[in-house]
C-alpha cells in the first residue's frame, strides 16, 4: 500500500474516533442529527417497558443490568431511569458503553464504560451503534473481481488488492458480489459481527 494511503476501515476509524473525531466532539451525535432516542419520549417509554419485561422474565434478579452500547451522551439511559418504577430502579445497574468521555452532569447512577461489562444479567441495548463500527469496503473492478477500496490522504479512493481469506468468505456468505457490475460495492461486516458477538457475550442472562 502506498504511503499516505490507508484502508477504508482505518480512514473511518480516524474520522469518527481519531483526534477531533466526529463522535468524540463535545456536542455529541445529538448536536448533528436526531435518532429515535431524541425524536420522541415514546421511545424511552417502550425501552422502559422492555426492561420491565426482561426483569420479569429473569425472575426479578437482585441486580438488573441495563447496558446501552454506543450510548451517545447517555440520553436514553437518563430517559429510561426517569420512567422506571422505584422498586426496579433500586435494583437497576445502568451502564453506558461509549468511546466518548462521560458527559458532565450525567445521573450518577449511570456507570460510564469504554468496554462492555462482564457477565451481567439484564437488557443489552444499542440504538444506531453497529453502523458506526468501522469496516472495510470492497468494490468490483472491470473484470468483476472484488478489491479493497483504499483511501488517500486527500480523500481520493483507489482499488487495492483483491479481497481474500475470511473477508472474502464473509462477502460470499452475506453480500456476494459475484456477477455484480463493475463499480459495485459491499461493506465487509466482519468487525460488526465480532462487535455484536462481544456485546451478546457480555450477558450471563438476558
Ligand atoms: C449514531 S450514535 C448513536 C447514539 C445513541 N445510541 C442514539 O441513538 O442517539 C453512535 C454512537 O456509538 C458510539 N460507538 C461506536 N462504536 C462504539 C464502540 N465500539 N463502543 C462504544 N461506543 C461506540 C459512538 O461514539 C456514538 O456515540
Amino acid at each position: 500500500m502506498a504511503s499516505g494511503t490507508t484502508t477504508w476501515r482505518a480512514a473511518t476509524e480516524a474520522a469518527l474516533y481519531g483526534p477531533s473525531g466526529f463522535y468524540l466532539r463535545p456536542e455529541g451525535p445529538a448536536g448533528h442529527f436526531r435518532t429515535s432516542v431524541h425524536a420522541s419520549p415514546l421511545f424511552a417509554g417502550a425501552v422502559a417497558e422492555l426492561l420491565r419485561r426482561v426483569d420479569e422474565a429473569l425472575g426479578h434478579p437482585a441486580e438488573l443490568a441495563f447496558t446501552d452500547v454506543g450510548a451517545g451522551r447517555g440520553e436514553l439511559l437518563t430517559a429510561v431511569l426517569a420512567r422506571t418504577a422505584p422498586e426496579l430502579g433500586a435494583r437497576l445497574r445502568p451502564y453506558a458503553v461509549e468511546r466518548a468521555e462521560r458527559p458532565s452532569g450525567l445521573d450518577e447512577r449511570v456507570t460510564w464504560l469504554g468496554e462492555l461489562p462482564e457477565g451481567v444479567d439484564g437488557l443489552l441495548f444499542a440504538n444506531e451503534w453497529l453502523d458506526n463500527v468501522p469496516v472495510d469496503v470492497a468494490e468490483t473492478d472491470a473484470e468483476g473481481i472484488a478489491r479493497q477500496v483504499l483511501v488517500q490522504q486527500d480523500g481520493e479512493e483507489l482499488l487495492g488488492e483483491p479481497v481474500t481469506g475470511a473477508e472474502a468468505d464473509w462477502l460470499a456468505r452475506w453480500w456476494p458480489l459475484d456477477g455484480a457490475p463493475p463499480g459495485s460495492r459491499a461493506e465487509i461486516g466482519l468487525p460488526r459481527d465480532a462487535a455484536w458477538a462481544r456485546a451478546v457475550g457480555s450477558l450471563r442472562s438476558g
Side-chain angles (χ1 to χ4, degrees), residues 17 23-24 29 33 35-38 68-73 75 97-100 113-114 126-129 131-133 198:
Y17 309 109
Y23 280 125
L24 307 189
F33 54 83
T35 67
S36 308
V37 169
H38 316 281
D68 186 11
V69 190
R73 296 300 176 271
E75 297 94 335
V97 183
E98 239 308 323
R99 296 190 65 168
L113 301 171
N127 189 64
E128 299 204 20
W129 164 51
D131 57 327
N132 299 286
V133 173
R198 268 199 312 281

Side-chain angles (χ1 to χ4, degrees), residues 69-82:
V69 190
R73 296 300 176 271
E75 297 94 335
L76 180 64
L77 283 154
T78 302
V80 168
L81 278 171

